Amino acid sequence: MTFLKNFLKGIVAGIGGIAPGLSGSVLLVILGLYERTVNAIGTLFKNFKKNIKFLLPLVLGLAVGILLFSKVVDFLLTTFPFQTRYAFLGLILGTIPLFHREVRKNGFRKRYYLVIVGAAALGFFLFGFNRHLFPTVTEPNLLQSVLLGVAVAGSSIVPGVDSAAIMSAFGLYELYVSSLADFNLQILIPAAGGLIVGALAISFVMNLLIRKAYTGTFSVIFGMFLAIVPTVVMEESCTITTLPMGLMAIGFALAGMLLSLYMGDIRGNNAKICRLFGKKNR
């Protein structure tokens, strides 16, 4: 039963990995699996059998989620781009209160709001105003190829960090896209090595930070996540040219937000719905 539940949660996280503006790691936080996941990766060889038993259904679910829904998302973005993007915007906005709940669950104090605001300001500078902190890399050396893998690992494991934004800031996004499109093994092989080493190292550090300073760590992560939201909102709002389009955008965003809030606590929300309909039927 646990295998199936983690497999299904992995599918949901996989959807987050391909949805614009969302990330699988953020959904793992909301689903209550993030801490255990980074602990399992960060201490992979310490208790190999137990960690693999936990990670296997999750990784399989992630793979299935990406494979099943990548074509669906591509079809929706191609056929109904306006509606799909605003539904995804609603999904992102709906994760904010869920993420906030996770941040507050372990010894939260009002002073941590200053940490959140500071992290949001830094994140907005890095991902909003200043997309390219370093020159674009077109012909990487071995070290830059390895760093590409490390960047992918970091942006995938740390919740709230937009992978496209972080790689663009370091001048690696174009390299990432072109190397995958061309299947350039000269770049991808060392990048894969960087990805594995980076995932193990970053998971170890994240696990340590969460155990030693849970609230402070998640406050920074939450602030970085909030920094991405204004950028996404501004990008999407540029597509609205008429009042009917604006009303349609609000409708799809609300639908996405409600779906996100529902998925954040499926069992609890189902119980509330059952109680509500039970009272009406009396």
Side-chain angles (χ1 to χ4, degrees):
M1 190 66 180
T2 302
F3 185 98
L4 180 60
K5 285 171 64 177
N6 288 346
F7 175 73
L8 294 174
K9 288 181 178 180
I11 292 176
V12 174
I15 298 170
I18 58 172
L22 275 175
S23 75
S25 53
V26 167
L27 291 181
L28 285 176
V29 171
I30 293 167
L31 293 169
L33 289 176
Y34 180 76
E35 292 176 65
R36 194 174 172 189
T37 301
V38 295
N39 179 65
I41 299 172
T43 62
L44 182 65
F45 301 107
K46 192 173 182 179
N47 196 338
F48 188 78
K49 186 176 180 181
K50 180 182 177 181
N51 289 334
I52 287 296
K53 187 178 179 181
F54 167 73
L55 289 171
L56 182 61
L58 200 59
V59 172
L60 289 175
L62 281 164
V64 170
I66 291 170
L67 290 173
L68 283 180
F69 289 94
S70 58
K71 289 189 179 297
V72 175
V73 170
D74 182 61
F75 170 78
L76 291 174
L77 285 171
T78 304
T79 312
F80 308 103
F82 180 82
Q83 298 91 330
T84 304
R85 289 192 175 278
Y86 276 95
F88 281 140
L89 175 60
L91 284 172
I92 296 167
L93 295 175
T95 62
I96 293 175
L98 302 173
F99 206 153
H100 183 247
R101 183 181 66 195
E102 289 297 313
V103 174
R104 290 176 56 88
K105 76 177 185 181
N106 191 4
F108 189 85
R109 298 290 184 271
K110 288 184 179 180
R111 65 175 178 269
Y112 284 110
Y113 282 118
L114 295 175
V115 178
I116 293 171
V117 171
L122 176 61
F124 193 63
F125 170 75
L126 291 174
F127 309 139
F129 289 122
N130 206 348
R131 286 292 179 116
H132 287 86
L133 297 176
F134 295 92
T136 300
V137 177
T138 54
E139 296 182 6
N141 54 37
L142 179 62
L143 178 60
Q144 288 171 323
S145 297
V146 172
L147 287 175
L148 173 63
V150 175
V152 173
S155 60
S156 301
I157 292 170
V158 180
V161 175
D162 186 341
S163 58
I166 194 78
M167 283 189 281
S168 293
F170 287 97
L172 295 170
Y173 184 72
E174 289 80 1
L175 177 66
Y176 174 64
V177 174
S178 63
S179 61
L180 286 175
D182 300 334
F183 199 63
N184 189 336
L185 293 179
Q186 189 175 353
I187 297 173
L188 292 177
I189 290 175
L195 176 65
I196 294 169
V197 173
L200 291 171
I202 294 167
S203 294
F204 175 80
V205 172
M206 287 300 300
N207 183 45
L208 187 65
L209 288 172
I210 290 169
R211 286 193 292 108
K212 299 293 184 181
Y214 175 92
T215 307
T217 300
F218 272 97
S219 294
V220 172
I221 291 169
F222 184 53
M224 299 290 278
F225 172 70
L226 291 177
I228 297 170
V229 176
T231 305
V232 176
V233 171
M234 286 189 292
E235 287 176 354
E236 299 304 334
S237 63
C238 293
T239 62
I240 299 174
T241 55
T242 64
L243 179 60
M245 286 182 71
L247 294 174
M248 187 186 298
I250 292 171
F252 278 99
L254 284 174
M257 188 183 299
L258 290 172
L259 177 61
S260 186
L261 291 169
Y262 172 75
M263 289 171 60
D265 184 13
I266 294 175
R267 183 179 296 178
N269 289 324
N270 283 343
K272 290 176 184 176
I273 293 170
C274 290
R275 285 197 297 270
L276 179 64
F277 279 98
K279 288 179 180 178
K280 285 185 177 181
N281 293 331
R282 288 177 184 174

